[in-house]
Amino acid sequence: MTSQPLPGFRDFFPEEHASLRSIFSAWREASHRSGFREYEGPELESLELYTEKSGEEIVGQLYHFKDKGDREVALRPELTPTLARMVASRHRNYRKPIKWFSIPRLFRYERPQRGRHREHFQWNCDIVGEKGGVAEAELISTLCLGLSLLGLGPQDVVVKISDRGWWDAFLTHQGIEEGKKGEVLRILDKLEGAPQEEWQKKLGSLAEPVAQALTSKAIQSPGLNEVRQGVADLGYGNWCEVDLRVVRGLAYYTGVVFEVHDRAGKFRAVAGGGRYDHLLKKLGGEDLPATGFGMGDAVLSELLREKKLVRPVAARAEIFVVAETGERSLALQLAGMLRRAGHAVDYDPASGKWAKQLELAEARGARWALLVGREAAQGKLLVKELAARKQGQVSFRQDGGGEISLEWGVGDWAKVVA
Ligand code: HAM
């Protein structure tokens, strides 16, 4: 038996989990500020949901098996098919546009490497029922807000925007059949950053026109222009660049697509998304336009570490109750009362020497120690402000029903200590 998790899976010890929580809270805050409502779906879905909708790359990375009821099932590798399934089943209950977000844990059997694992958390924001580029502008500005809440700015990351619609027209012009376009786009997706010879090898006669198109300044895409205008109006114009090399690996995208990369180009994409107007219909739902993005925690954490922006949300006790032997019951009553009153309270379950208990209080990062000693018989408790090494006394009363009340509320303890 090993003490390590499976390859590509991560343990989050409390310190690491505190960093993860700070990422989640930025994601949630940005979603709420931008009017997205949170939802969640199941971790396990029918295999078919992905084999038909996600495209070859993800299907090759699925964790799938037969369940005990002989159903072919898969751990979710992405959330978009689940969202499309959920919206298709109940969209009449919701006014359009639907703006939803979620932070699922996803599973892909990839080769583990820096920023890539076999599970990751992914912030998803999606808008269903809006055709206009203002939807993508809304999504891009929301993800920029989320990144800025973590301390990142346009000097650190760039949102590269492209248009699959433009690629579609270009490939038609080049005489590529409809059924072959997906394959060409998948090849293009993999070629980012590859040397010229590789392009030639993989694209053959298409390499030349593609290279020309990519360097051309005269690209016409009304869709892109609308998105860029919206993003600029929302205040994030300087975060974005048009970059047609972004085509996205997933099969369902139909229009404007985008990816977030670190400016230095050291890491893989921090986020990716785009328009997928036909997915809902394919799932048997109404023909509703949709667009969205997913941002993973793994690459983002690498980037935050590099920029020294990791700010863990520490879960610390505010008050640590220290009890003399014999006063244990009163100490527990105080802890319970203070917790019910809204405070974060901890204590040493093995009540030993005061000094030992105070050591634990400091290790837990508590601001206050509330000491329950012999003076409790006279209705007195000792309060210590640990870091400031100050202390004072507070009185308490216990009514006939055992209810405890303090003479000074915790908010006033700073006035009590000297
Ligand atoms: P995706 O590009 O496959 O898109 O993933 C989005 C982001 O999730 C990536 O940019 C990356 O940060 C992170 N990610 C993906 N795979 C891994 C992995 N194995 N390890 C760590 N991080 C990873 C989608 O999944 C789309 N469903 C997003 C979307 C939502 N499109 C529309 N709505």
Side-chain angles (χ1 to χ4, degrees), residues 10 58 77-81 83 106 108 110 115-122 124-126 248 250 252-253 259-260 268-274 276 291-300:
R10 296 169 296 171
I58 280 201
E78 59 159 340
L79 193 63
T80 313
L83 168 81
L106 307 175
R108 298 182 190 180
E110 293 206 51
R116 284 273 134 166
H117 310 288
R118 289 181 175 164
E119 50 68 32
H120 70 284
F121 293 94
Q122 197 189 84
N124 278 249
C125 286
D126 290 87
R248 307 280 299 132
L250 291 158
Y252 45 67
Y253 293 114
E259 276 179 3
V260 180
R268 298 180 71 165
V270 178
Y276 53 98
T291 172
F293 72 82
M295 180 185 294
D297 68 305
V299 182
L300 179 59

Side-chain angles (χ1 to χ4, degrees), residues 190-249:
K190 289 269 166 298
L191 280 174
E192 236 212 294
Q196 196 55 44
E197 312 84 71
E198 191 72 10
W199 285 67
Q200 196 67 48
K201 204 164 105 198
K202 292 269 160 64
L203 288 173
S205 60
L206 258 186
E208 184 60 33
V210 165
Q212 261 175 22
L214 289 177
T215 48
S216 163
K217 293 264 177 280
I219 297 296
Q220 292 301 319
S221 164
L224 270 185
N225 295 344
E226 195 185 351
V227 174
R228 291 186 76 197
Q229 183 60 50
V231 174
D233 289 340
L234 285 159
Y236 296 97
N238 58 340
W239 292 60
C240 300
E241 276 171 16
V242 170
D243 188 338
L244 289 171
R245 283 170 302 181
V246 171
V247 290
R248 307 280 299 132

Side-chain angles (χ1 to χ4, degrees), residues 320 356-366 385-387 389:
F320 200 94
K356 264 233 135 90
Q357 295 182 52
L358 283 167
E359 263 172 44
L360 187 59
E362 298 211 8
R364 291 279 200 265
E385 188 168 12
L386 291 165
R389 312 234 164 260

Side-chain angles (χ1 to χ4, degrees), residues 2-250:
T2 156
S3 60
Q4 297 303 310
L6 286 169
F9 284 76
R10 296 169 296 171
D11 292 326
F12 287 90
F13 288 87
E15 317 74 73
E16 293 142 10
H17 198 262
S19 306
L20 186 65
R21 277 187 33 218
S22 72
I23 291 178
F24 286 4
S25 68
W27 287 351
R28 281 213 164 81
E29 179 66 24
S31 306
H32 289 307
R33 284 198 209 171
S34 307
F36 288 81
R37 290 175 70 196
E38 191 159 3
Y39 71 101
E40 177 59 293
E43 286 81 355
L44 211 56
E45 288 272 18
S46 73
L47 175 63
E48 193 190 40
L49 186 66
Y50 306 110
T51 48
E52 293 186 8
K53 312 294 178 264
S54 293
E56 269 169 39
E57 185 175 348
I58 280 201
V59 168
Q61 299 168 339
L62 282 174
Y63 276 89
H64 65 93
F65 54 95
K66 260 195 185 154
D67 74 2
K68 290 184 179 159
D70 229 19
R71 294 173 204 90
E72 291 277 8
V73 294
L75 279 174
R76 56 187 179 188
E78 59 159 340
L79 193 63
T80 313
T82 298
L83 168 81
R85 182 180 61 65
M86 286 170 66
V87 172
S89 78
R90 251 196 231 178
H91 76 89
R92 280 195 187 80
N93 298 2
Y94 299 98
R95 291 195 63 156
K96 314 296 176 310
I98 289 168
K99 292 173 76 178
W100 286 359
F101 85 96
S102 191
I103 307 179
R105 197 173 204 172
L106 307 175
F107 304 88
R108 298 182 190 180
Y109 196 86
E110 293 206 51
R111 193 167 58 79
Q113 51 193 295
R114 198 170 168 205
R116 284 273 134 166
H117 310 288
R118 289 181 175 164
E119 50 68 32
H120 70 284
F121 293 94
Q122 197 189 84
W123 177 31
N124 278 249
C125 286
D126 290 87
I127 301 182
V128 180
E130 174 54 55
K131 284 201 293 294
V134 66
E136 281 86 353
E138 181 73 352
L139 291 162
I140 291 171
S141 71
T142 303
L143 73 82
C144 292
L145 177 60
L147 292 173
S148 69
L149 292 173
L150 290 163
L152 292 165
Q155 68 284 1
D156 307 304
V157 291
V158 54
V159 185
K160 297 183 177 178
I161 315 179
S162 175
D163 185 357
R164 271 235 191 162
W166 179 88
W167 276 107
D168 193 53
F170 171 82
L171 293 176
T172 305
H173 187 69
Q174 296 298 324
I176 305 294
E177 288 165 38
E178 210 50 45
K180 295 260 164 62
K181 286 178 179 172
E183 198 186 322
V184 176
L185 291 173
R186 257 195 317 282
I187 295 174
L188 275 169
D189 185 51
K190 289 269 166 298
L191 280 174
E192 236 212 294
Q196 196 55 44
E197 312 84 71
E198 191 72 10
W199 285 67
Q200 196 67 48
K201 204 164 105 198
K202 292 269 160 64
L203 288 173
S205 60
L206 258 186
E208 184 60 33
V210 165
Q212 261 175 22
L214 289 177
T215 48
S216 163
K217 293 264 177 280
I219 297 296
Q220 292 301 319
S221 164
L224 270 185
N225 295 344
E226 195 185 351
V227 174
R228 291 186 76 197
Q229 183 60 50
V231 174
D233 289 340
L234 285 159
Y236 296 97
N238 58 340
W239 292 60
C240 300
E241 276 171 16
V242 170
D243 188 338
L244 289 171
R245 283 170 302 181
V246 171
V247 290
R248 307 280 299 132
L250 291 158

